[in-house]
Amino acid sequence: MPTRLAKANALRALSMDAVQQANSGHPGAPMGMADIAEVLWNDFLKHNPENPQWPDRDRFVLSNGHASVLLYALLHLSGYDLDLNEIRNFRQLHSKTPGHPEYGITPGIETTTGPLGQGLANAVGMAIAERTLAGQFNREGFEIVDHHTWVFAGDGCLMEGISHEACSLAGTLGLGKLTLIYDDNGISIDGEVSGWFTEDVPQRFAAYGWHVIAAVDGHDPEQIRRALATARAEMARPSIICCKTKIGRGSPNKEGKESCHGAALGVAEVAATRLNLGWDHAPFVIPDSLYQAWDARPAGRKREQEWQASFADYQARYPELAEEFLRRTKGDLPQDWPGHCAELLETAAAKAETVATRKASQQSLEKLGPLLPELIGGSADLAGSNLTIWSGSKDIRANNHSGNYIYYGVREFAMAAINSGIALHGGFIPYGATFLIFSEYARNALRMAALMKQRSIFVLTHDSIGLGEDGPTHQAVEQAATLRLIPNMSVWRPADAVETFIAWQSAIERRTGPTCLLLSRQNLPYIPRDSYQLAGIRRGAYVLIEAGEVPDVILIATGSELGIALTAARRLNEEGRQVRVVSMPCTDLFDRQDADYRERVLPLSCRKRIAIEAGTPDYWRKYVGLDGQVLGVPDFGESAPAEALFKRFGLTAEGIMELVRNYR
């Protein structure tokens, strides 16, 4: 039977060989964390390589994603569908082993990591999801949800501010099944971190309310094993295990040095490391005895079979709960979802209410929430402004494990990344809220949600200069445009309660990416529509006022500016002009429509177009062309009542009419 050291050295060998072959990558952290990874994966991790989607598997997150080759080596050796050729093709085009772990590319990867600290925040989301799902579905004698979340992180992850946001919240919520293994190797890209990272990490996490296991030798398997066992036994608090390691462990000339952090060791140093480790096998060669020692498939198969047997008993005892559990973990929507939504939309359309779209959003939650027990929401300390609490909301706290609402505090970045973790875990559709301007704090986590194609919803209120007196620090000007530029991010800016309801429905139904809902603070008038126009909302843009087959001018508007455009168009048409009005609440959805529909809405024969939105003008050039005009906010806004600001920037019916009359 191979020794623990031999098994760990297999990880080191594959890591340095893959990086050397690619002449690109990060061998240092994988070699330094190999001993920790060996103990965790062989003695503690509950998983089944033959079914990476088993709902009750442990989740493992490599937050220091630059160490990706360690994870690929673990997956390969454990028996996942990741053959040796993929390890050889590390960092190459179309391989399953990209430079940083990517969700959906490689079997067994739970989340995309690389931007430091975000994997840790994702892991907090996974731990929240596990405990909440357990609180909702477990019954006495049936622990069908009972798994742990393990996360590796390095100095860089803990330097990033998101680690403070996420870990502070994790401690407050008492996430006992979350364990962070901190790779304390004292090295980052710029060298020894003692010049810029000197805080007492154990005391920091103790202050968060974590269970702290300090001063573990990260190269002593027995110390590692005891620490992991102690952490797993602690159920009231999340645990951090502080492991002192040497980056590049085994490299005779680069161990403990920055030079092995982000570059291949070099041919000579790889040979010297082989000799130093006593590893006398050719590159990418792993002896059969080590493959057998690492193979997690028999144990994983047995564990899942035991769980399936328990779940069968659960199904017999609680058939409705079991059916609901399977539906939610698959991500399916409830039966007759379209029918329920059609009825609710009819009610919303008949109400004909003048209301802020943030309020309309809350009303949508009141309608949709009872249909969706998987909906789990929260706000970054702005619940009363974002209006994200509905009558069925129940707090998630350390002593309440079955709720559906998280008070995130002022933690926008962590909130967005935690929501991705919740979505990745499965069983929930998460939403989180803040002011649109503060989406800037969460920007990279929003981007990561789009990259991972996760169904996560962001409620972003106070969407423009319409919020008024708080001034330019709080007035979103460029944010709508820049969110629309994120690939795979769907962005809605609805104009009334009806468009808001459909925006929510679309976001919930969208399983291939996140959605941002940009909502007004101020009241907006109800807009009557016929059935064709109602259907057009779901296509992203549609004609609200027709003006002949070939209009003189087309007005394109969104959100709070649509009502103004409608008023202007009606007056202009009374003067004998031919002015069409197009509502475009979701540009990305409109862009995905067929060419015939896009031509019907925005005919090429009409080059006179004016886009109207209380934000930066440049985004709209793609719809109005070089001949068109954009009425927007070209600066940062000002502090004044909303009505005065709209007049200041010409965002009035009179301002639009003047533009049309002077259009040449």
Side-chain angles (χ1 to χ4, degrees):
M1 183 70 178
T3 64
R4 285 194 180 277
L5 180 59
K7 287 187 282 185
N9 283 344
L11 295 173
R12 292 187 172 99
L14 282 177
S15 297
M16 67 180 181
D17 288 345
V19 173
Q20 189 60 47
Q21 173 116 331
N23 197 28
S24 174
H26 300 76
M31 295 171 72
M33 298 194 78
D35 299 302
I36 305 168
E38 187 278 321
V39 177
L40 174 63
W41 277 62
N42 284 314
D43 290 15
F44 291 88
L45 196 69
K46 182 175 77 170
H47 64 128
N48 181 9
E50 293 177 332
N51 182 13
Q53 300 305 313
W54 172 29
D56 202 39
R57 68 193 182 278
D58 284 358
R59 269 57 169 185
F60 175 77
V61 174
L62 186 73
S63 188
N64 46 343
H66 56 272
S68 60
V69 71
L70 170 65
L71 184 47
Y72 301 144
L74 286 163
L75 294 169
H76 170 70
L77 292 172
S78 297
Y80 285 80
D81 183 18
L82 189 70
D83 65 36
L84 196 59
N85 284 331
E86 296 292 349
I87 305 294
R88 289 178 179 272
N89 287 329
F90 177 56
R91 289 188 162 223
Q92 305 308 301
L93 185 63
H94 302 315
S95 76
K96 293 182 180 180
T97 51
H100 292 82
E102 293 186 36
Y103 177 80
I105 299 290
T106 316
I109 299 296
E110 301 286 1
T111 181
T112 300
T113 56
L116 294 176
Q118 283 199 63
L120 176 51
N122 294 161
V124 171
M126 293 173 188
I128 290 172
E130 188 276 339
R131 195 181 68 178
T132 306
L133 204 64
Q136 294 178 1
F137 284 97
N138 286 357
R139 296 294 182 268
E140 186 176 353
F142 294 98
E143 300 290 318
I144 62 165
V145 182
D146 183 19
H147 52 268
H148 286 70
T149 302
W150 310 89
V151 53
F152 281 3
D155 293 301
C157 288
L158 298 193
M159 282 187 253
E160 287 284 0
I162 191 174
S163 71
H164 163 74
E165 294 184 27
C167 294
S168 171
L169 183 62
T172 299
L173 294 178
L175 300 176
K177 289 185 179 177
L178 171 66
T179 298
L180 163 62
I181 297 97
Y182 165 40
D183 179 31
D184 181 12
N185 64 31
I187 296 291
S188 67
I189 291 175
D190 281 350
E192 295 182 10
V193 301
S194 57
W196 49 86
F197 186 58
T198 58
E199 65 196 46
D200 189 323
V201 170
Q203 286 192 19
R204 169 184 163 185
F205 277 79
Y208 292 151
W210 284 52
H211 170 224
V212 178
I213 304 172
V216 174
D217 183 346
H219 301 301
D220 183 332
E222 184 54 29
Q223 283 194 40
I224 297 165
R225 187 196 64 77
R226 288 198 303 268
L228 290 168
T230 302
R232 188 168 63 178
E234 171 59 57
M235 300 300 291
R237 298 170 292 170
S239 297
I240 180 172
I241 303 172
C242 302
C243 293
K244 194 66 182 174
T245 66
K246 290 189 175 181
I247 192 169
R249 177 74 166 183
S251 171
N253 298 302
K254 297 189 177 183
E255 179 180 294
K257 298 177 181 178
E258 181 278 326
S259 57
C260 67
H261 169 85
L265 296 180
V267 174
E269 189 64 14
V270 167
T273 303
R274 275 184 152 70
L275 187 62
N276 191 42
L277 294 175
W279 186 263
D280 57 356
H281 310 291
F284 299 105
V285 172
I286 304 294
D288 288 342
S289 60
L290 280 170
Y291 272 121
Q292 291 171 12
W294 268 103
D295 190 357
R297 288 172 293 186
R301 190 182 310 125
K302 182 174 183 293
R303 279 175 166 168
E304 184 175 355
Q305 287 170 349
E306 291 170 351
W307 181 85
Q308 292 287 2
S310 176
F311 188 76
D313 293 338
Y314 179 82
Q315 281 180 304
R317 182 76 176 274
Y318 305 103
E320 292 181 359
L321 271 177
E323 183 180 0
E324 182 71 356
F325 177 82
L326 291 174
R327 177 189 73 79
R328 285 176 55 176
T329 53
K330 290 176 184 175
D332 295 338
L333 291 174
Q335 190 173 12
D336 197 26
W337 165 260
H340 287 305
C341 287
E343 292 176 10
L344 293 171
L345 176 61
E346 186 177 347
T347 302
K351 199 169 185 180
E353 186 178 14
T354 293
V355 65
T357 51
R358 62 170 174 159
K359 182 63 178 178
S361 171
Q362 186 180 50
Q363 293 169 343
S364 297
L365 283 170
E366 288 287 355
K367 296 181 178 74
L368 298 172
L371 304 176
L372 295 168
E374 60 264 49
L375 205 59
I376 183 170
S379 171
D381 202 49
L382 288 168
S385 294
N386 299 145
L387 301 183
T388 45
I389 295 176
W390 58 287
S391 59
S393 295
K394 298 177 182 178
D395 300 0
I396 292 174
R397 296 186 184 272
N399 59 357
N400 180 17
H401 299 176
S402 60
N404 61 2
Y405 193 86
I406 304 167
Y407 286 92
Y408 280 104
V410 187
R411 300 182 178 100
E412 296 90 353
F413 194 1
M415 176 182 67
I418 286 169
N419 275 355
S420 285
I422 292 171
L424 287 158
H425 178 279
F428 295 98
I429 300 174
Y431 67 91
T434 185
F435 289 173
L436 175 55
I437 191 69
F438 299 136
S439 67
E440 295 294 343
Y441 282 126
R443 177 64 56 140
N444 199 257
L446 299 179
R447 182 179 188 272
M448 293 295 285
L451 179 62
M452 292 189 283
K453 299 180 173 62
Q454 289 306 294
R455 177 165 52 181
S456 187
I457 302 168
F458 303 99
V459 179
L460 303 172
T461 70
H462 295 60
D463 69 339
S464 70
I465 60 171
L467 67 88
E469 292 87 343
D470 277 338
T473 60
H474 285 54
Q475 291 168 2
V477 173
E478 74 275 23
Q479 283 65 38
T482 57
L483 286 170
R484 289 172 179 137
L485 292 175
I486 298 175
N488 199 44
M489 176 67 77
S490 189
V491 179
W492 284 80
R493 190 166 182 257
D496 69 350
V498 172
E499 287 191 357
T500 302
F501 179 86
I502 291 176
W504 262 106
Q505 182 185 355
S506 175
I508 289 165
E509 292 174 355
R510 187 171 190 249
R511 299 187 61 171
T512 56
T515 301
C516 290
L517 307 179
L518 314 188
L519 307 173
S520 74
R521 177 188 184 231
Q522 71 274 33
N523 288 343
L524 304 181
Y526 166 77
I527 299 167
R529 300 170 180 85
D530 60 29
S531 58
Y532 183 77
Q533 290 167 332
L534 280 174
I537 298 173
R538 295 186 61 84
R539 305 188 77 166
Y542 60 101
V543 178
L544 263 174
I545 291 182
E546 190 53 276
E549 291 186 13
V550 183
D552 296 333
V553 179
I554 299 175
L555 304 182
I556 308 167
T558 77
S560 51
E561 292 71 69
L562 181 59
I564 301 168
L566 289 170
T567 299
R570 292 187 184 108
R571 293 178 184 174
L572 289 164
N573 288 339
E574 288 172 359
E575 296 176 1
R577 299 177 188 272
Q578 299 285 320
V579 180
R580 172 182 291 189
V581 177
V582 170
S583 175
M584 192 178 288
C586 186
T587 61
D588 57 276
L589 190 52
F590 177 68
D591 290 346
R592 292 196 296 273
Q593 301 305 306
D594 60 80
D596 180 66
Y597 182 79
R598 297 198 308 272
E599 170 65 19
R600 291 204 305 273
V601 174
L602 295 177
L604 293 174
S605 56
C606 181
R607 297 175 65 89
K608 287 187 176 181
R609 303 176 183 185
I610 302 174
I612 306 151
E613 185 173 66
T616 189
D618 286 350
Y619 176 83
W620 289 97
R621 298 294 174 193
K622 64 185 287 189
Y623 298 107
V624 302
L626 296 177
D627 298 334
Q629 299 186 38
V630 182
L631 178 58
V633 181
D635 207 335
F636 281 114
E638 298 179 28
S639 179
E643 186 177 348
L645 287 172
F646 274 79
K647 187 174 182 180
R648 154 77 175 82
F649 288 101
L651 291 161
T652 62
E654 291 74 17
I656 296 169
M657 292 170 69
E658 185 178 355
L659 271 181
V660 172
R661 289 167 181 155
N662 295 329
Y663 207 141
R664 296 289 182 268

